Amino acid sequence: MGGKRKNSESEGMEGDNDGKNSNKKMKKEKTEILPSSIKNKEKRSAVHAKLKHQKKLDKRKKLKARAAAEKRALELGEEPPPKQIPRTIENTREADATVCMPDDEELFAGNDADEFSSILKHDRTPKILITTCRFNSTRGPAFISELLSVIPNAHYYKRGTYDLKKIVEYANNKEFTSIIVVHTNRREPDGLLIIGLPDGPTAHFKLSSLVLRKDIKNHGNPTSHKPELVLNNFTTRLGHRIGRLIQSLFPQDPNFQGRRVVTFHNQRDFIFFRHHRYIFETKESKQSDSKGKKAKDAKDESIAKEKVVAHLQECGPRFTLKLVNLQHGTFDTKGGEYEWVHKPEMDTSRRRFFL
Amino acid sequence: MPRTTTVECPVYPPFRALTFDALGLIKVIEARGGVPKVVDRWGEPDASKCVLAASIDDRKTDPLLAVARKNGVIEVLNPLNGELLVTVSDFGNSSARPEDDAIVGLHLFRRQRLELTSRLCTLLTCTTKGNASVKTVDISDSPEDSGASKTWNVCASGNIACSQVDGSENYALFGGKGVEVNMWDLDKCTNIWSAKPPPPNSLGIFTPTWFTSATFLSKDDHRKVVAGTNSHEVRLYDVSAQRRPVISFDFRETPIKAVTEDLDGHTIYIGNGSGDLASVDIHTGKLLGCFLGKCSGSI
């Protein structure tokens, strides 16, 4: 067969090569054979498996060596060798010129002048209108009832056949501060549209990975205290604006005694929503035998080593959002100006994020 | 893995640009063969001083920059160092409050060579309700306004959204929501031409008029006008030919927010509400190309 002939040929050639190498003492490097250059699938997969195994062994050896070096250094009382930091995509994120700096007075002036400042300065209390798109959905109503429990002062109205622009008008008349529209596709909530009122921006998010409360193991039931809001990692100007938009949905005076927290965590342009009840507990940590054998020292160390830990119990839905576009003004896809719209030509590298 | 495109940083010809923002700041951006950088910033961030329109008289000696702000004030500055020369408040009618009747268009007329010493400058402004006025302002000693002005109303109903003055500075055109493009002779303050909407199509549907941007096609010819509408259409009008548009074509799906002509007289650049910038050959109406880049907001 052709394959076999090639195999024997390559083997023959390898044999020749090895022979040549052993003869030629000048050439010390062995020519490395890439698995991808071997045409025979069995041989190729065998070489590849061998390479992988070799790499795994090397990695294990390096890890052991590092751990041994660190242990030795600690025992000798020296400084352990510095811990290596793994390279992650967040570490190597492309530098963005629009990242908010803490001393940016234009940012603060802009914040004072934007659409959310009246809510964030406690002038208006947030009042949210939640509605859906026109189609029925299986998980939609459950999701909306959970949203109603998460966001205080939220009201649900059935969609009917109203135009969204008309809904904006009605909401303005009734003094709502935001509208949330849950959009459904194939009977599954798929998108979220947050419209600030009276003439606030419209943010369109893609919703995914929705897990309802009943599907979470050991879930807790949320109380009706005003929640604490945690917004993580909204660094750029756009992210800051979105963060303020989310902030304007919740009341600005959280009830810390209620121990309820809502988190919007931004990572790689995905916003993860979590809702927890938390409780702080102080517990004494175990002491190691080598230290503090005397009773006095033990007592001091036990006081010093008390740690406060937080236990979290998840309640409420869990979902992820991704910003599709942000439009200036209320909902008007055809006639409105977009502040930010995602275009495929903006993805110039894997390390570029916008929020 | 998302499809990635690489954008190399090209070598730019040296340029200097002035940008105006909603906080009333004026920033100077310069590029001298490298990456453009903000070199200067004039003004304090103040939302009531939001800049609505600006116009420059870019002469080699003594250039002037006029800026119209949200609080109804028009400032004349020196574009080289940002020094404020004159503040004109209460331009035109004092009856309308500046918040109701915001300034939409502003044009600073070129001064003739002879007037080098006289330090007078003429401004044309237009507000959303259609009050256009021409005023001469003295910038010699006192930073206060003084001088004659004539005001006239450009549209009976509707809002003006765009205005432009042609290269010879005798004609001005205005257009807006519910207002067809019309051209006025500035000396006589008369309406010499106004456009007619294209006939409704076979289904009887017609889109209401809403012009969002307009410009004259070339500096010396006041007869050809290009206008962009809210329904993503770009139309070329010829004043000497007919009142209906000569060529009209569609561009993507969001309103055309900016139209400018190229110096060669037959290329225009259009920018729309979702950040797409394109250049079009106006003689044939063909799209020459779109510009790719990192722009993500409306132009």
Side-chain angles (χ1 to χ4, degrees):
Chain A
M1 310 295 165
K4 277 189 188 164
R5 220 189 303 141
K6 272 188 196 166
N7 206 358
S8 55
E9 264 185 30
S10 62
E11 274 189 34
M13 275 168 52
E14 283 172 34
D16 275 350
N17 270 345
D18 280 345
K20 277 186 191 163
N21 281 338
S22 59
N23 285 341
K24 284 188 183 173
K25 286 171 190 171
M26 314 283 263
K27 241 189 184 177
K28 286 197 178 164
E29 320 106 32
K30 232 196 314 186
T31 48
E32 302 254 332
I33 302 164
L34 278 177
S36 55
S37 60
I38 306 175
K39 297 265 185 170
N40 183 338
K41 183 171 179 179
E42 266 192 47
K43 192 96 184 4
R44 180 173 69 231
S45 52
V47 170
H48 178 61
K50 201 168 160 193
L51 261 176
K52 265 182 80 173
H53 185 65
Q54 198 57 41
K55 272 196 191 166
K56 193 171 166 191
L57 288 178
D58 286 338
K59 190 169 176 184
R60 194 85 70 73
K61 246 192 269 177
K62 254 197 254 174
L63 188 60
K64 276 199 183 155
R66 242 186 285 145
E70 206 174 312
K71 196 170 171 195
R72 215 183 315 129
L74 278 176
E75 276 179 11
L76 291 177
E78 296 172 351
E79 280 286 316
K83 263 196 169 177
Q84 292 175 326
I85 311 169
R87 182 217 79 136
T88 60
I89 290 190
E90 285 87 3
N91 274 348
T92 48
R93 179 178 172 169
E94 256 184 31
D96 203 337
T98 58
V99 167
C100 303
M101 292 285 143
D103 52 352
D104 195 355
E105 58 161 3
E106 283 178 41
L107 179 66
F108 299 137
N111 280 348
D112 284 334
D114 77 359
E115 301 94 341
F116 318 115
S117 65
S118 62
I119 304 178
L120 296 183
K121 284 186 192 165
H122 304 253
D123 288 336
R124 296 200 292 163
T125 47
K127 190 174 169 200
I128 319 288
L129 170 70
I130 305 187
T131 182
T132 64
C133 71
R134 292 192 178 108
F135 299 102
N136 278 329
S137 82
T138 319
R139 297 218 290 169
F143 176 53
I144 289 182
S145 61
E146 295 193 4
L147 267 186
L148 287 173
S149 72
V150 170
I151 308 178
N153 204 9
H155 306 269
Y156 169 61
Y157 286 78
K158 283 203 277 202
R159 174 66 184 267
T161 48
Y162 298 115
D163 254 351
L164 203 52
K165 295 190 189 176
K166 291 274 169 59
I167 294 184
V168 168
E169 249 183 68
Y170 297 154
N172 269 329
N173 291 339
K174 298 218 170 146
E175 299 197 350
F176 281 92
T177 55
S178 318
I179 298 180
I180 298 183
V181 180
V182 177
H183 195 275
T184 314
N185 191 2
R186 289 204 182 167
R187 309 193 78 86
E188 180 66 36
D190 206 14
L192 204 69
L193 196 67
I194 302 183
I195 308 175
L197 297 173
D199 48 12
T202 307
H204 177 33
F205 294 96
K206 189 169 68 158
L207 191 129
S208 49
S209 300
L210 174 65
V211 179
L212 295 174
R213 185 181 306 150
K214 55 187 170 73
D215 300 325
I216 300 177
K217 290 208 158 69
N218 301 329
H219 70 261
N221 289 319
T223 52
S224 59
H225 297 106
K226 293 189 186 165
E228 198 183 323
L229 188 62
V230 172
L231 295 166
N232 274 341
N233 210 12
F234 287 91
T235 46
T236 62
R237 283 290 183 101
L238 175 68
H240 190 75
R241 195 155 155 80
I242 298 286
R244 280 172 72 88
L245 174 72
I246 296 174
Q247 202 180 356
S248 70
L249 296 175
F250 290 89
Q252 300 304 306
D253 44 349
N255 188 345
F256 292 104
Q257 293 202 326
R259 286 184 282 120
R260 203 178 140 211
V261 64
V262 169
T263 306
F264 286 85
H265 176 87
N266 171 38
Q267 191 159 341
R268 300 196 197 180
D269 283 354
F270 284 93
I271 303 176
F272 298 92
F273 171 91
R274 299 287 182 270
H275 179 207
H276 296 279
R277 287 184 352 173
Y278 62 89
I279 182 164
F280 285 115
E281 274 177 8
T282 56
K283 71 170 190 184
E284 296 176 15
S285 61
K286 297 179 191 158
Q287 308 158 25
S288 48
D289 289 336
S290 53
K291 302 181 185 168
K293 285 185 182 166
K294 296 181 187 169
K296 248 199 229 169
D297 285 332
K299 265 196 206 155
D300 286 346
E301 281 186 310
S302 72
I303 294 168
K305 286 213 168 182
E306 244 180 34
K307 281 203 307 190
V308 179
V309 275
H311 293 293
L312 297 174
Q313 187 186 31
E314 189 160 1
C315 40
R318 184 200 288 183
F319 53 88
T320 49
L321 298 170
K322 186 163 192 198
L323 183 67
V324 172
N325 58 41
L326 178 66
Q327 188 215 322
H328 189 78
T330 55
F331 182 75
D332 190 356
T333 38
K334 287 289 173 99
E337 290 189 52
Y338 286 92
E339 284 184 26
W340 188 83
V341 70
H342 178 268
K343 292 190 221 163
E345 63 204 24
M346 298 197 307
D347 296 328
T348 50
S349 96
R350 280 192 76 171
R351 288 168 198 81
R352 183 167 185 214
F353 306 111
F354 305 101
L355 281 185
Chain B
M1 182 171 146
R3 182 171 62 97
T4 56
T5 56
T6 44
V7 176
E8 293 103 25
C9 194
V11 177
Y12 302 96
F15 70 88
R16 181 185 155 98
L18 297 165
T19 61
F20 312 90
D21 65 17
L23 287 176
L25 298 170
I26 303 175
K27 293 191 184 163
V28 182
I29 301 175
E30 279 189 16
R32 300 218 185 116
V35 179
K37 274 204 270 268
V38 177
V39 295
D40 214 350
R41 190 188 92 156
W42 304 325
E44 290 301 315
D46 184 356
S48 67
K49 292 210 226 134
C50 159
V51 174
L52 294 174
S55 163
I56 190 166
D57 174 14
D58 203 10
R59 299 196 310 190
K60 287 235 156 73
T61 58
D62 200 19
L64 285 184
L65 168 72
V67 161
R69 295 189 188 268
K70 198 167 173 184
N71 46 9
V73 156
I74 298 185
E75 296 176 2
V76 180
L77 315 155
N78 184 342
L80 298 173
N81 55 11
E83 169 204 330
L84 179 63
L85 298 171
V86 157
T87 314
V88 179
S89 55
D90 226 20
F91 202 96
N93 301 21
S94 46
S95 54
R97 278 170 57 236
E99 287 88 51
D100 293 337
D101 205 12
I103 298 177
V104 157
L106 172 69
H107 182 82
L108 181 62
F109 286 95
R110 286 192 304 268
R111 289 154 293 157
Q112 305 302 323
R113 281 258 162 229
L114 311 163
E115 292 177 18
L116 259 179
T117 50
S118 66
R119 310 279 288 174
L120 283 175
C121 62
T122 323
L123 300 164
L124 162 73
T125 60
C126 181
T127 64
T128 47
K129 295 223 174 99
N131 299 319
S133 66
V134 176
K135 196 166 184 180
T136 42
V137 169
D138 190 357
I139 49 175
S140 44
D141 295 323
S142 58
E144 290 295 314
D145 62 330
S146 61
S149 71
K150 48 183 178 174
T151 318
W152 71 100
N153 197 303
V154 170
C155 68
S157 65
N159 293 328
I160 302 280
C162 53
S163 82
Q164 267 280 353
V165 174
D166 81 322
S168 64
E169 298 195 335
N170 290 330
Y171 303 98
L173 68 91
F174 304 93
K177 180 172 182 181
V179 177
E180 285 287 343
V181 179
N182 40 14
M183 194 175 312
W184 292 70
D185 185 336
L186 286 173
D187 301 321
K188 304 178 211 130
C189 289
T190 51
N191 184 352
I192 52 174
W193 179 85
S194 95
K196 208 168 168 195
N201 62 6
S202 56
L203 297 166
I205 307 174
F206 81 104
T207 41
T209 3
W210 191 339
F211 288 96
T212 45
S213 60
T215 179
F216 286 90
L217 192 55
S218 75
K219 276 208 185 120
D220 1 299
D221 190 359
H222 71 96
R223 289 169 307 177
K224 298 197 181 48
V225 168
V226 182
T229 69
N230 198 46
S231 40
H232 41 86
E233 237 185 45
V234 179
R235 298 183 187 159
L236 169 68
Y237 290 92
D238 194 343
V239 173
S240 48
Q242 58 183 17
R243 291 179 64 196
R244 292 243 159 95
V246 175
I247 308 177
S248 128
F249 61 89
D250 243 15
F251 177 66
R252 304 239 172 129
E253 287 144 13
T254 42
I256 311 284
K257 287 290 176 185
V259 180
T260 29
E261 75 280 5
D262 195 15
L263 294 171
D264 60 10
H266 54 80
T267 316
I268 54 165
Y269 300 99
I270 43 183
N272 74 352
S274 45
D276 304 313
L277 189 63
S279 78
V280 178
D281 182 358
I282 204 66
H283 285 320
T284 54
K286 252 201 310 194
L287 187 69
L288 289 174
C290 288
F291 295 92
L292 279 189
K294 297 187 180 178
C295 175
S296 41
S298 149
I299 297 180

